[in-house]
Amino acid sequence: SCATASSAEEGFEQAEENTPDAIILDVRLPGIDGLAAMERLQTLAPQAPITVITAHGDLSTAVEAVRRGAFDYLAKPFALDQVEGVLERALQW
């Protein structure tokens, strides 16, 4: 199954209720930003690989996320098959 959240705080609640197998996380979020959210999600769901989404012009943020333990990143705009490929690799990780 798949769950969505419109904020990091909502994502934290969902991760506490039902531990995710993988996480796709935008770095630009209302409230807590994606990099700060990633740290909390790594604590709530340490086994879940996190893929971050970033704007094409903000690749340094994606590199920083990977340095902090993100599994991979997707730069906007991206195609659906790119998401599928990243999720397949993440779930096999």
Side-chain angles (χ1 to χ4, degrees):
S1 73
C2 180
T4 61
S6 59
S7 69
E9 294 84 355
E10 188 179 327
F12 300 153
E13 290 175 16
Q14 289 187 18
E16 287 173 347
E17 292 173 12
N18 189 14
T19 305
D21 294 321
I23 298 168
I24 298 177
L25 176 66
D26 201 325
V27 295
R28 299 276 182 242
L29 296 169
I32 299 171
D33 71 51
L35 290 180
M38 190 176 85
E39 291 180 31
R40 174 108 184 259
L41 288 167
Q42 287 169 322
T43 300
L44 292 171
Q47 81 298 341
I50 298 174
T51 299
V52 296
I53 297 173
T54 186
H56 180 70
D58 198 16
L59 292 180
S60 62
T61 302
V63 170
E64 178 62 18
V66 170
R67 189 186 71 74
R68 294 185 188 191
F71 173 76
D72 205 347
Y73 70 89
L74 290 165
K76 295 177 194 175
F78 49 81
L80 183 57
D81 63 336
Q82 290 174 288
V83 178
E84 291 172 346
V86 167
L87 273 177
E88 284 177 15
R89 288 193 314 275
L91 292 172
Q92 293 172 2
W93 180 63

